[in-house]
Each structure stands twice: as C-alpha cells, then as structure tokens.
C-alpha cells in the first residue's frame, strides 16, 4: 500500500483480524514480520525521529487523564511533544470537537463520547502530516461523527495523510480500502 499527500486508507476486518496490530506497526510501536514501512523514501526505523515528528497516532483507548481538564489533557500531550500549547489554541480545538462549556471540568465527569472528543481534539493541536487513527468513531454520536469526518477531510485537503480503522461507515469520499 502507498499513500501520498491528500490520500487516506480505511483498514477493515473482523475483530481480531490484525487492524490494531497493523496500525501499531505503522506507528513504529511494533515491527512487521515481513516487509517494511517507509516514510519519505526511508524505512521508519532509519528515519525514526522524522517519522515521529510527522506522525499522530491515536489508539482506540481514550488515553486521557481523568484528574485533568480537557485543556490540561491537551496541554500535557503537547508538552510530551516538546511543544507548548496555549489555553486559546486548546479551547479552539475543544470547541471544534463539540466540547464548549466542558473545557474546565475534570475529565472523570465526562461521558465516554466526550472523553473521545478530548482525545480527537489532539488532531487539531498537533501539526502532523500523517494521522493513524484506531477506531476514531468509537463512542461518538452522529453529530460528532460528522464533525470528525470534516476534520479528517480538512487534513487531507491540506495535504495530510490518514490511515484509520472503523466498523462504521466513514463520512469521507474516496480512500483506499485495506481488507484484513
């Protein structure tokens, strides 16, 4: 499989088929038994620093701290990348993901879908060329699914690349289907 700027792939398959394993390999978290994953013409194991700068991997778990507010969660994730994130930028991302009015609540009081939206707001705060998203539509209502489709569509229009898994229909045109 090859993806160029503005392209995306939908990895599909039954539970246990290896979708998450494939995404973990793309993220460099595990190694393939055969073949290789390349970025900018080099195997990612050789271009590791560049690959990780250009990559945003969001797993299917919420991966947020319950004691932090949504803004604090976004700022903590940015700090791990060595990039400061202003309250204003974090707030804009949370509002776009439908969390206006919940930005200062501890994450532990948010619903599963709201926690998912906090995680997905990360896509709006981190400048990454490649988004690898494992089940991004999990726990989202219809409105949030449409909003996420728009966010991914905007990323592609700006020359980004996306690889995602989903058991649901994806509100995006085109794309390659990878069936496992």
């Amino acid at each position: 499989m090859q993806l160029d700027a503005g392209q995306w792939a939908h990895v599909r398959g039954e539970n246990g088929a290896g979708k998450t394993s494939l995404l973990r390999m793309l993220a460099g978290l595990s190694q393939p038994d055969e073949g290789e994953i390349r970025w900018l013409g080099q195997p990612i194991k050789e271009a590791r620093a560049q690959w990780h700068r250009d990559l945003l991997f969001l797993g299917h778990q919420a991966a947020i701290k319950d004691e932090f507010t949504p803004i604090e969660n976004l700022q903590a994730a940015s700090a791990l990348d060595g990039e400061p994130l202003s309250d204003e930028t974090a707030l804009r991302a949370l509002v776009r993901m439908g969390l206006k009015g919940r930005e200062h609540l501890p994450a532990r009081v948010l619903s599963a879908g709201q926690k998912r939206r906090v995680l997905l707001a990360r896509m709006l705060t981190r400048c990454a060329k490649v988004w690898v998203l494992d089940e991004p539509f999990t726990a989202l209502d219809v409105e949030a699914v449409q909003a996420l489709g728009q966010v991914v569509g905007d990323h592609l229009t700006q020359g980004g690349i996306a690889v995602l898994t989903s058991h649901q229909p994806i509100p995006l045109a085109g794309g390659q289907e990878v069936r496992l």
Side-chain angles (χ1 to χ4, degrees), residues 8 10 136-137 140-154 156 164 166 168-174:
W8 68 281
H10 181 185
F137 300 100
L140 297 181
D141 58 30
V142 173
E143 196 172 290
V145 167
Q146 290 302 316
L148 177 56
Q150 183 63 51
V151 167
V152 175
D154 290 349
L156 297 171
L164 52 112
S166 180
Q168 301 170 266
I170 298 174
L172 288 170

Side-chain angles (χ1 to χ4, degrees), residues 18 73 132 151:
N73 269 289
V132 176
V151 167

Side-chain angles (χ1 to χ4, degrees), residues 9-122:
H10 181 185
V11 179
R12 301 184 66 158
E14 302 299 322
N15 291 334
K19 299 179 301 293
T20 296
S21 296
L22 174 60
L23 296 190
R24 288 181 53 80
M25 285 181 234
L26 290 175
L29 299 173
S30 57
Q31 297 299 312
D33 290 335
E34 294 180 28
E36 65 183 357
I37 298 159
R38 299 175 73 80
W39 178 240
L40 302 175
Q42 293 185 296
I44 62 170
K45 61 186 171 193
E46 293 173 19
R48 189 169 184 82
Q50 182 67 49
W51 175 239
H52 286 286
R53 275 192 301 276
D54 291 340
L55 171 76
L56 173 64
F57 174 68
L58 298 179
H60 64 275
Q61 299 296 327
I64 62 172
K65 295 204 171 285
D66 279 341
E67 62 274 10
F68 288 4
T69 67
I71 287 177
E72 291 168 339
N73 269 289
L74 291 178
Q75 289 173 328
S78 290
L80 289 173
D81 288 333
E83 298 289 329
L85 181 67
S86 71
D87 287 356
E88 296 80 25
T89 301
L91 181 59
R92 275 195 304 275
L94 293 167
V95 167
R96 178 141 188 224
M97 292 310 301
L99 289 168
K100 184 177 181 179
R102 292 171 179 84
E103 60 273 4
H104 296 293
L105 296 173
R108 71 177 167 276
V109 303
L110 300 177
S111 71
Q114 290 168 333
K115 288 179 181 181
R116 189 74 178 161
R117 289 175 188 228
V118 173
L119 177 68
L120 295 171
R122 182 80 175 106

Side-chain angles (χ1 to χ4, degrees), residues 2-9 39 51 54 56 128-133 152 155-156 158-163:
Q2 178 176 328
L3 294 172
D4 294 315
Q7 295 182 326
W8 68 281
W39 178 240
W51 175 239
D54 291 340
L56 173 64
K129 295 176 183 174
V130 179
W131 291 354
V132 176
L133 311 173
V152 175
H155 174 67
L156 297 171
Q158 296 166 5
I161 296 169
V163 178

